[in-house]
Amino acid sequence: MHDSIYEDLNQQQAAAVAHGQGPLMVLAGAGSGKTRVVTRRIARLMMDGVRAHQILALTFTNKAAGEMARRVEQLGGDYVRVATFHSACARFLRSEAHLIGFAPDYSIYDTQDRDTLIKELMAEQHISPKEAKPSLIGNWISKLKNAAMTPDDGLLGSSDVMRLVERLWTPYHERMKKASAMDFDDLLLNFLQILREHPAAAERYQERFPWVLVDEFQDTNRVQYDLLKLLCPPASAGGSGNMCVVGDPDQSIYGFRGAEVRNILDFESDYEPCTVVRLEQNYRSTANILRAAETVIANNTMRKDKRLRTDAEDGASILRLKATGSTEEASTLADRMQALVDEGTSLEEVAVFYRAHWLSRGLEQALKDKGIPYEIVGGQTFFERREIKDLLAYLRVLINPLDDVSMARIVNVPPRGLGKVSLERLRGRALEEGMSLREAVGEASLHDVLSKKARAGLADLAETLDKAQKAAERGAQAALRAVLEGTGYIRHATSYGDAEDSTREDNIAELVSDTVQYDDAGDEPLAGDDSSPTGLPGYLQHVALLTSADRGDDGPAVRMMTVHAAKGLEFDHVFVCGLEEGTFPSMRTADDPDGLEEERRLMYVALTRARKTLMLSSARDRMVNGSMETMRPSRFLREIPEDLLENYAPSWRRYDLDDDGSHSTGWSVTPDPEALAGLQKGVRVRHDLYGSGVVRRLAGRGMNARAVVRFDDGVEREFVLEYAGLQLLEDMEF
């Protein structure tokens, strides 16, 4: 049996799997088979007598966790629950939250719920949203929490925003505790607090999980690392020291979310003596792609020494597109994708990466024009839709009557005659009586400040909630159906008279289906943990802990996403667009050496997602904040050896641009002055690619002269006239 564990592993992979007791750090380069190593190490531990419930394996998405657990089972191991940091802490807190004054059925607030509460607190303190958006305050609180800070840590800064953060953080913390609610950051911080302040609890979890494995360790923040050191202390601190961390500092790209690349750099000294295994054999990319990525990342200083190698062939050259503008860039990329499809490539093996979502607009239009299906990864997810959030708020109130944020969301949805003023009156009465908003809704004696319609509406709501609460004893499906029947929510959601009515109804039907599937399947408890919630509480926890990465669609379409969203994915054919200074790398890193290194790690991630071909593009001219700007190619392009690159020009432009924005002499063409002499607003022109259209606007002079043309298909496109190849047809009235 042991022999099968080591089957098809290289020497370094086998060494990591075979490692016995003591700390282990696996530096796993892109495409080096790290998931295979982690799963086989878990299976090997169980074959050596370690019980499944003694192993705690942590990662960052539910999708990755499920895949890892599935692979362990396929290897013949017992079922082992692999969890995200947040889901593991959420489960542990169900049995430990009482130690810090929380109910076992606490609510989990998402970002929108957090911002709603902050907005309420700002209103109470007469702070205008013009001073700072609630989301900005919330993001700062989150950032500080990820750095393991608390409201008691003193002065945070002298800026107006930070003064507001200081002013609102303590009330936010107190209101959350009063509502028995935690945001995502609290799940980690509160469990960390329990481990620090209650040694008996810490010892209990150390004994429960003498073996801890962490995937994507480079993405951990300070709080997560502090948690790990308390869950599995080094031997020098009296712990088992059986900590295995797997990661790659070259792929640490989540600094904006609090990730500390320093954690993986410091692990050796924190867990001394530590065994280090380097996985340097790449099984994903061609040699040319790998060499390009390695050459780029070598410019960073904050990294562990490793060098990826591959037995793969050199492969195709990396295509380098220097477009005149964003329109040309988008059209050329779309044409190249169509050529791949014509050659037999499946659309699901094609992906486009960009630094920020705003870069996708032009490419979306180009793909639509050519009839190429595409999917924007990271758009609004199912559970973020308004109707779904409304219904989930109803369900949360059923298990946590103290959840005022959820109660406020649904108290007048569907409308019950309770406007903003009436709601504030009811809140005031509830505050006077020391009640939650849910309790106030059910207390008719407090409704004297409301209109007759509002009183009747609240009476119906209280009755619906009581019935749904009883139904919840039969599971999530029964609770949801009781809410739908009692509120008439489907009628409400389909009464807008717009094209989305049927979509909203379909979404509600899908939510019902989801609860049915959950009730039928149940929720597997974390290994050795009987405290995991079931029924409706379990379902709500399940939904709250889902991430956008877990909800992707696998349809046959080109995938378009930010490089951050591409982490952990791989495709045969990858396009990286918008490679200009100020775009990628971001202008925010211009004076920040650490930020620039993270941008370069981001570029490294983008390059190493590609298996077979890679195309990199930049635009000489790009619309930025409403104005056309001349861009400089990204420094990351200059860091790639020239012998790996092949310049690529669109078929309708028989020349190539130099990096300074001019066109190469070997391919140059000269615009015909006579052909452009009659060009003016309102005339008809023809383009070899887009057909006929009308000139709508003209701007600029000389090399910067531009025209906006509205083509007969209704799409407007902007051209640099020197290179556009427009042909005059006939004058016409505009």
Side-chain angles (χ1 to χ4, degrees):
M1 182 72 74
H2 276 70
D3 291 343
S4 65
I5 292 294
Y6 297 100
E7 187 179 354
D8 67 21
L9 298 182
N10 63 37
Q11 185 177 350
Q12 290 75 29
Q13 292 172 330
V17 171
H19 177 78
Q21 294 193 337
L24 171 67
M25 180 166 67
V26 181
L27 294 175
S32 63
K34 69 176 179 64
T35 304
R36 176 187 301 178
V37 168
V38 174
T39 54
R40 297 209 185 178
R41 177 164 174 77
I42 293 173
R44 202 274 302 168
L45 288 173
M46 288 189 285
M47 289 179 182
D48 286 351
V50 178
R51 306 293 296 272
H53 63 79
Q54 294 178 302
I55 301 171
L56 178 61
L58 298 169
T59 186
F60 282 84
T61 69
N62 293 293
K63 186 175 182 179
E67 174 64 16
M68 201 175 295
R70 183 185 66 80
R71 290 198 190 187
V72 172
E73 285 189 279
Q74 287 178 341
L75 291 167
D78 295 333
Y79 176 79
V80 60
R81 180 63 180 252
V82 188
T84 67
F85 277 89
H86 291 90
S87 68
C89 288
R91 292 172 183 276
F92 298 153
L93 283 166
R94 296 295 174 187
S95 30
E96 309 294 346
H98 67 279
L99 295 174
I100 54 173
F102 283 83
D105 285 334
Y106 61 85
S107 294
I108 300 175
Y109 281 11
D110 63 12
T111 301
Q112 187 173 336
D113 299 320
R114 178 201 70 190
D115 295 346
T116 298
L117 178 55
I118 291 173
K119 185 178 180 180
E120 292 175 2
L121 293 170
M122 290 174 67
E124 291 173 8
Q125 297 194 33
H126 307 290
I127 301 172
S128 170
K130 295 180 180 179
E131 295 184 57
K133 292 182 179 180
S135 59
L136 178 61
I137 302 295
N139 289 339
W140 266 110
I141 291 175
S142 177
K143 190 173 184 177
L144 294 167
K145 286 182 178 181
N146 285 329
M149 297 183 68
T150 71
D152 300 327
D153 286 332
L155 189 66
L156 303 175
S158 58
S159 69
D160 292 341
V161 171
M162 295 312 295
R163 281 194 287 268
L164 288 176
V165 171
E166 284 191 315
R167 184 173 165 184
L168 292 165
W169 193 355
T170 296
Y172 172 77
H173 177 74
E174 292 173 346
R175 190 70 63 83
M176 289 285 287
K177 192 164 185 177
K178 182 180 179 181
S180 195
M182 302 185 196
D183 59 29
F184 262 45
D185 303 314
D186 291 332
L187 296 176
L188 305 182
L189 275 172
N190 287 341
F191 189 57
L192 178 62
Q193 179 186 347
I194 288 169
L195 295 181
R196 282 174 170 170
E197 298 179 358
H198 299 273
E203 187 176 345
R204 190 161 60 249
Y205 284 94
Q206 290 165 13
E207 291 177 353
R208 182 187 295 185
F209 302 114
W211 298 88
V212 177
L213 298 94
V214 186
D215 193 18
E216 305 288 1
F217 184 66
Q218 78 281 343
D219 293 337
T220 54
N221 59 31
R222 178 179 170 184
V223 173
Q224 288 163 334
Y225 193 26
D226 287 348
L227 271 170
L228 290 170
K229 288 188 286 188
L230 286 172
L231 282 169
C232 187
S236 59
S240 70
N242 294 327
M243 176 91 77
C244 171
V245 300
V246 183
D248 181 5
D250 291 338
Q251 298 187 67
S252 179
I253 60 174
Y254 294 117
F256 67 96
R257 286 194 322 210
E260 291 274 3
V261 69
R262 181 62 58 185
N263 292 345
I264 197 168
L265 299 178
D266 292 344
F267 184 82
E268 279 186 87
S269 58
D270 291 343
Y271 280 81
E272 192 177 11
C274 174
T275 299
V276 179
V277 176
R278 289 173 169 82
L279 305 185
E280 298 177 311
Q281 183 74 25
N282 178 279
Y283 296 96
R284 176 185 299 159
S285 306
T286 66
N288 284 342
I289 293 172
L290 200 60
R291 184 183 162 201
E294 286 288 293
T295 310
V296 170
I297 200 64
N299 291 277
N300 272 5
T301 58
M302 294 181 62
R303 59 191 301 262
K304 288 282 189 178
D305 182 42
K306 68 172 171 53
R307 182 161 292 275
L308 290 178
R309 60 184 182 274
T310 181
D311 295 331
E313 297 179 352
D314 288 347
S317 297
I318 298 168
L319 298 181
R320 167 73 171 98
L321 171 64
K322 305 170 187 176
T324 58
S326 56
T327 298
E328 184 181 275
E329 178 190 40
S331 297
T332 307
L333 296 187
D335 278 348
R336 180 61 186 162
M337 293 176 205
Q338 185 61 61
L340 289 171
V341 172
D342 294 341
E343 294 167 6
T345 298
S346 172
L347 285 176
E348 56 200 17
E349 289 299 338
V350 180
V352 185
F353 304 151
Y354 34 75
R355 181 61 181 84
H357 274 301
W358 66 268
L359 288 159
S360 72
R361 184 191 62 79
L363 186 56
E364 283 190 73
Q365 185 62 62
L367 293 174
K368 286 178 181 176
D369 291 346
K370 298 184 186 303
I372 300 174
Y374 69 90
E375 174 197 352
I376 301 287
V377 177
Q380 188 182 48
T381 64
F382 177 81
F383 290 97
E384 293 168 339
R385 298 181 184 276
R386 181 174 62 183
E387 61 272 17
I388 302 303
K389 288 202 53 88
D390 285 346
L391 292 170
L392 291 177
Y394 270 103
L395 297 181
R396 290 201 308 211
V397 167
L398 300 181
I399 65 167
N400 183 8
L402 299 177
D403 188 344
D404 280 358
V405 169
S406 294
M407 193 66 217
R409 180 182 182 100
I410 53 97
V411 70
N412 199 45
V413 179
R416 299 185 175 91
L418 199 76
K420 186 176 180 181
V421 174
S422 298
L423 179 58
E424 290 307 311
R425 288 174 179 170
L426 186 63
R427 282 182 185 276
R429 293 299 305 273
L431 210 59
E432 292 172 3
E433 299 297 328
M435 293 182 177
S436 68
L437 191 56
R438 166 68 181 91
E439 291 171 322
V441 166
E443 185 57 58
S445 63
L446 302 184
H447 301 173
D448 55 340
V449 295
L450 306 177
S451 67
K452 183 178 180 181
K453 182 179 179 180
R455 291 197 298 271
L458 290 185
D460 289 341
L461 176 59
E463 182 179 357
T464 294
L465 293 176
D466 288 343
K467 290 181 179 178
Q469 202 158 13
K470 293 178 181 176
E473 297 173 4
R474 304 194 304 274
Q477 177 200 174
L480 178 58
R481 290 191 182 279
V483 168
L484 291 172
E485 292 170 7
T487 61
Y489 188 89
I490 294 177
R491 289 194 304 274
H492 164 70
T494 56
S495 63
Y496 290 83
D498 60 22
E500 293 298 310
D501 277 357
S502 59
T503 301
R504 285 187 284 268
E505 186 171 9
D506 290 342
N507 290 337
I508 294 169
E510 182 60 27
L511 183 65
V512 173
S513 298
D514 195 52
T515 60
V516 172
Q517 292 174 352
Y518 180 87
D519 285 345
D520 288 345
D523 190 23
E524 294 284 348
L526 194 64
D529 182 14
D530 296 327
S531 64
S532 300
T534 57
L536 180 59
Y539 177 73
L540 291 174
Q541 177 170 293
H542 159 75
V543 169
L545 294 171
L546 287 175
T547 68
S548 59
D550 301 314
R551 304 177 187 137
D553 182 13
D554 296 324
V558 171
R559 308 299 171 87
M560 299 173 58
M561 68 194 80
T562 64
V563 185
H564 284 100
K567 177 77 178 296
L569 304 178
E570 57 185 75
F571 302 89
D572 282 351
H573 309 281
V574 167
F575 298 77
V576 187
C577 63
L579 284 165
E580 302 111 20
E581 289 292 306
T583 303
F584 194 180
S586 168
M587 68 177 66
R588 294 189 295 273
T589 65
D591 301 315
D592 180 8
D594 290 346
L596 180 59
E597 291 218 347
E598 179 156 322
E599 289 289 300
R600 188 174 282 109
R601 292 194 292 270
L602 198 60
M603 180 67 173
Y604 176 82
V605 168
L607 298 177
T608 55
R609 300 309 94 194
R611 288 191 285 250
K612 296 179 180 179
T613 72
L614 183 62
M615 187 169 183
L616 310 175
S617 68
S618 63
R620 186 189 64 185
D621 302 300
R622 191 177 297 279
M623 189 73 72
V624 180
N625 294 325
S627 63
M628 189 68 70
E629 294 189 8
T630 299
M631 315 296 289
R632 289 187 299 119
S634 169
R635 71 191 69 192
F636 302 149
L637 291 168
R638 299 192 296 274
E639 292 172 356
I640 298 174
E642 289 188 8
D643 65 300
L644 299 178
L645 299 172
E646 176 185 337
N647 286 333
Y648 186 92
S651 59
W652 63 88
R653 173 164 60 82
R654 304 309 304 164
Y655 59 88
D656 188 34
L657 295 180
D658 290 331
D659 281 344
D660 63 1
S662 63
H663 55 259
S664 302
T665 56
W667 294 87
S668 66
V669 297
T670 303
D672 183 359
E674 292 184 5
L676 300 179
L679 196 66
Q680 57 184 326
K681 181 179 176 182
V683 302
R684 285 188 64 79
V685 294
R686 179 173 178 78
H687 189 275
D688 288 342
L689 179 67
Y690 300 115
S692 302
V694 179
V695 177
R696 298 289 300 264
R697 292 186 299 278
L698 293 167
R701 299 188 177 201
M703 290 184 60
N704 292 317
R706 297 171 175 83
V708 174
V709 180
R710 182 169 187 170
F711 289 92
D712 295 344
D713 61 2
V715 178
E716 287 192 0
R717 296 178 172 87
E718 183 172 7
F719 300 93
V720 178
L721 292 180
E722 185 178 7
Y723 312 118
L726 296 175
Q727 305 167 42
L728 288 171
L729 295 180
E730 60 183 284
D731 293 345
M732 71 171 285
E733 293 297 325
F734 188 67

